[in-house]
Amino acid sequence: MKINPILLDGKALAKEIEINLRARVARIIQQTGTIPALATVLVGNDPSSEIYVNMKGKACERVGLVSVKVHLPETATTEELLDTIEKLNKDDNICGILLQHPVPEQINERLCFDKILPGKDVDGVTCHGFGRMVMGEKAYGSATPAGIISLLKHYNLTLEGKHAVVVGRSPILGKPIAMMLLNEDATVTICHSKTANLPGLIRQADIVVGAVGLPEFIKADWIKDNAIVIDAGYHKGGKGDIEIEKVKEKVMAYTPVPGGVGPMTIATLISQTVESAEMNSKSF
Ligand code: NAP
């Protein structure tokens, strides 16, 4: 008998997380007399990035944080961006720094990410944070993958011993989610554009993570019955990286698009900012 698939409702969980964060921020303000801030740095005029940064700013306001928006022009240089990050590193009111990816191509994005102080790296983008996370040390996780893990844990889905196939190996998504699943004792296969026989590998997966950036690239008939399906993609028309609509009936659990991974990314970023603010408040 087929049991109804579990809808991994990131939107609902993000709302719950925000309620808890609001109370924590109110306590920090009471204790310190200052309102902690998240700085978002946007470079250039990419419309999607502008939308993402605005969504993050609004989430700050909902939980009572200040959102400091820094917008550099499309022509900004690596040096200018490094200077901006350095100023934010030195500003005691700023508890977290988010540098919106991607930046214009003349900028050395890795250098700029790694300029963010580890204590303010609430989006989990530095090599330092990534290395610590891989080693199982305390670090702010990369927001999207950490949000995915929180969602899986919230629904008590067993990861131990499962074969997870991650499609994508980007520094902010594919690589960290693969390492986080490994840390949860899953057996992980990482796939990318040079992978041979991708459908064959996905057909073996108990957990599939779509982090490719191509609409409905992962086909329904590559996914085995009772798999857990996580779709990080978002494309025009509400499509993800996976043919979710066609697999809903045969899987154990799936993330909707939208309303799955996206809200959990923002909730994780804000949650890690509040954690950083709590650390700062201890020095008062
Ligand atoms: P990315 O940097 O473009 O990386 C895409 C990855 O997919 C690369 O590793 C690439 O392989 C791989 N790939 C491309 N074509 C492939 C193919 N034909 N077969 C197998 N693998 C292939 O993208 P990203 O930043 O990780 O984002 C991935 C998706 O997640 C996008 O849809 C993005 O919008 C979404 N996303 C969502 C959130 C959120 O908050 N919801 C946050 C971040 C990203 P190579 O390494 O070999 O090039």
Side-chain angles (χ1 to χ4, degrees):
M1 194 184 72
K2 178 77 186 103
I3 301 164
N4 282 340
I6 305 165
L7 183 141
L8 303 172
D9 191 342
K11 198 173 166 188
L13 179 55
K15 263 193 188 153
E16 255 180 59
I17 292 171
E18 280 190 8
I19 291 169
N20 170 277
L21 292 178
R22 219 175 296 154
R24 285 165 61 187
V25 172
R27 267 199 300 277
I28 298 168
I29 296 171
Q30 203 178 30
Q31 207 180 331
T32 65
T34 57
I35 308 175
L38 168 70
T40 57
V41 183
L42 174 66
V43 189
N45 306 311
D46 176 55
S48 304
S49 293
E50 283 186 30
I51 291 170
Y52 294 140
V53 163
N54 283 336
M55 286 165 81
K56 289 162 188 173
K58 282 191 182 133
C60 280
E61 286 161 19
R62 285 197 298 274
V63 302
L65 293 171
V66 169
S67 159
V68 173
K69 288 187 179 149
V70 181
H71 195 166
L72 299 185
E74 188 74 38
T75 51
T77 61
T78 302
E79 286 65 32
E80 283 163 348
L81 183 50
L82 288 171
D83 279 353
T84 300
I85 294 169
E86 184 57 11
K87 284 191 187 109
L88 296 170
N89 278 341
K90 287 184 174 153
D91 184 339
D92 289 340
N93 292 323
I94 303 290
C95 295
I97 301 170
L98 167 114
L99 170 57
Q100 185 65 43
H101 162 85
V103 295
E105 59 184 20
Q106 76 275 12
I107 291 178
N108 183 336
E109 186 179 72
R110 176 45 47 206
L111 202 60
C112 294
F113 274 153
D114 284 333
K115 184 76 178 171
I116 300 171
L117 279 178
K120 297 192 180 194
D121 178 24
V122 293
D123 201 31
V125 293
T126 60
C127 287
H128 178 88
F130 178 82
R132 286 184 61 85
M133 178 276 289
V134 172
M135 294 302 173
E137 298 293 330
K138 197 163 169 38
Y140 296 123
S142 179
T144 303
I148 293 171
I149 297 290
S150 300
L151 191 59
L152 291 166
K153 286 190 173 173
H154 176 76
Y155 283 91
N156 291 318
L157 293 165
T158 306
L159 306 177
E160 183 186 316
K162 296 280 172 69
H163 181 197
V165 174
V166 176
V167 190
R169 58 172 167 180
S170 72
I172 60 156
L173 185 44
K175 279 179 187 157
I177 188 65
M179 293 302 116
M180 288 177 193
L181 287 165
L182 181 66
N183 285 349
E184 296 296 330
D185 293 326
T187 303
V188 183
T189 301
I190 307 173
C191 302
H192 46 81
S193 64
K194 309 288 186 293
T195 296
N197 190 18
L198 183 66
L201 289 168
I202 294 176
R203 283 192 181 104
Q204 296 169 31
D206 304 309
I207 302 169
V208 180
V209 181
V212 202
L214 299 169
E216 299 196 332
F217 172 79
I218 298 172
K219 305 300 172 204
D221 70 348
W222 300 356
I223 291 170
K224 77 175 183 185
D225 287 0
N226 284 321
I228 297 169
V229 181
I230 305 295
D231 194 338
Y234 182 73
H235 309 279
K236 273 191 191 132
K239 286 187 179 7
D241 287 354
I242 303 177
E243 285 189 329
I244 289 277
E245 282 304 317
K246 294 187 187 163
V247 294
K248 271 182 187 173
E249 294 317 312
K250 67 172 187 175
V251 296
M252 180 195 294
Y254 69 96
T255 53
V257 178
V261 173
M264 287 305 298
T265 299
I266 297 181
T268 304
L269 168 75
I270 303 300
S271 182
Q272 295 187 149
T273 306
V274 173
E275 221 178 288
S276 167
E278 285 171 340
M279 294 290 289
N280 281 3
S281 72
K282 284 188 186 139
S283 57
F284 273 75

